[in-house]
Amino acid sequence: MTLKLGVNIDHVATLRRARQAVYPDPLLAAELCLCVGADYIVIHVRNDDRHMTEKDLARLCKAYRKYMHLECNFSEKMQKMALKYKPYSVCIVPETPGEVTTTGGLKFTPKNFDRIRQMTEALQKKGILVSLFIDPSADSVRAAAKCGADIVELCTRDYSEATTKKQRAKLLGDLALASLLAKELGMEVHAGHGLDYENVLPVADLCGISCMNIGFSIISRAVLAGLPNAVCAMKELL
Ligand code: PXP
């Protein structure tokens, strides 16, 4: 099984927003990522529109629908938006106003559970694959299976923030067990959040994981790796 990479390009739009400009253009970023082998383009359209917007989703789906993986929460508004643009897949994530980034997996309270299951069914009816972003626990994996998810994305945030080897090994073990259970229950397994060039390989090596979704570390590296080129181009002009 070849491990796939979904590149989250949200922070290209964060940069654009910082100057309220029209560039850098996420569409061009998506094209560059796909040209060099990214398997999917991931964007999170948030209720506060802080980086990617519905307009970005529309443009990206028009150009690259079969590579588009949308992250959004389980509100009616987001469901309607996903059904309108029909990305290849949708990952339902929790969202709290004001959070800096997603803080963990979905919490399957009875009310949330019904809503997530309804949204899952509605998206699947239109041919969209549904992923649920969950914490790596047996309860969450079972709840995702009950919702009818095609995919679970295991949250690697705790793993990536672990401060000791022992803690990291324990959290890697949780991810391994959750991955095995999800496969046993017939779901595809993805992983993401906080993964970087230092911590990604132990997760990538876990049995059953077929796709890693990574954003911040890739965009951060791109900024520094691209800086010499950008400076040289300006020097040449001057
Ligand atoms: N997966 C999910 C569900 C996320 O919410 C995020 C962050 O938007 C990522 C993966 C990517 O996380 P990071 O930017 O830390 O690589």
Side-chain angles (χ1 to χ4, degrees):
M1 183 172 65
T2 12
L3 191 57
K4 296 199 165 163
L5 173 65
V7 181
N8 182 315
I9 58 169
D10 286 349
H11 294 302
V12 172
T14 304
L15 198 55
R16 178 186 63 184
R17 170 55 61 96
R19 287 292 289 264
Q20 309 204 338
V22 292
Y23 70 89
D25 184 358
L27 193 68
L28 190 52
E31 187 179 321
L32 292 170
C33 294
L34 291 169
C35 274
V36 296
D39 298 286
Y40 299 106
I41 298 301
V42 185
I43 66 166
H44 186 167
V45 178
R46 286 180 168 271
N47 280 293
D48 62 9
D49 273 352
R50 73 168 74 151
H51 37 53
M52 290 294 175
T53 63
E54 180 170 345
K55 193 169 158 204
D56 292 315
L57 178 67
R59 291 176 73 223
L60 286 160
C61 283
K62 190 163 176 222
Y64 301 117
R65 201 188 84 79
K66 65 178 181 180
Y67 302 102
M68 286 309 301
H69 180 69
L70 169 69
E71 294 173 359
C72 62
N73 83 341
F74 46 87
S75 64
E76 297 279 352
K77 177 181 153 195
M78 289 297 162
Q79 176 175 323
K80 219 167 128 190
M81 187 186 70
L83 288 171
K84 183 167 175 191
Y85 301 106
K86 297 189 187 67
Y88 174 74
S89 51
V90 168
C91 182
I92 303 176
V93 300
E95 201 174 298
T96 314
E99 66 189 2
V100 172
T101 180
T102 316
T103 53
L106 291 161
K107 303 290 170 255
F108 293 95
T109 60
K111 192 170 152 221
N112 281 357
F113 180 87
D114 287 342
R115 177 66 201 118
I116 293 164
R117 194 174 55 183
Q118 280 165 12
M119 182 160 166
T120 300
E121 280 172 10
L123 295 173
Q124 287 170 334
K125 265 192 202 145
K126 295 290 176 192
I128 301 167
L129 288 177
V130 177
S131 173
L132 299 183
F133 187 55
I134 62 167
D135 294 321
S137 73
D139 283 351
S140 292
V141 174
R142 289 201 183 94
K146 273 199 199 145
C147 282
D150 302 289
I151 305 162
V152 282
E153 179 173 337
L154 301 177
C155 176
T156 50
R157 184 172 185 184
D158 287 347
Y159 161 82
S160 65
E161 288 179 0
T163 49
T164 65
K165 264 190 183 170
K166 196 174 159 193
Q167 218 181 15
R168 187 163 285 195
K170 196 256 170 215
L171 292 163
L172 197 59
D174 292 347
L175 289 163
L177 286 175
S179 172
L180 287 178
L181 180 60
K183 288 295 288 176
E184 218 172 272
L185 294 175
M187 295 178 287
E188 205 176 298
V189 186
H190 298 181
H193 210 296
L195 295 173
D196 59 29
Y197 295 84
E198 306 263 302
N199 64 21
V200 72
L201 286 183
V203 182
D205 285 342
L206 293 179
C207 201
I209 293 189
S210 59
C211 183
M212 319 284 284
N213 291 323
I214 306 177
F216 188 70
S217 62
I218 293 179
I219 302 300
S220 300
R221 182 155 170 165
V223 169
L224 294 187
L227 204 49
N229 232 331
V231 172
C232 286
M234 187 58 80
K235 274 296 274 184
E236 252 171 54
L237 264 184
L238 300 176

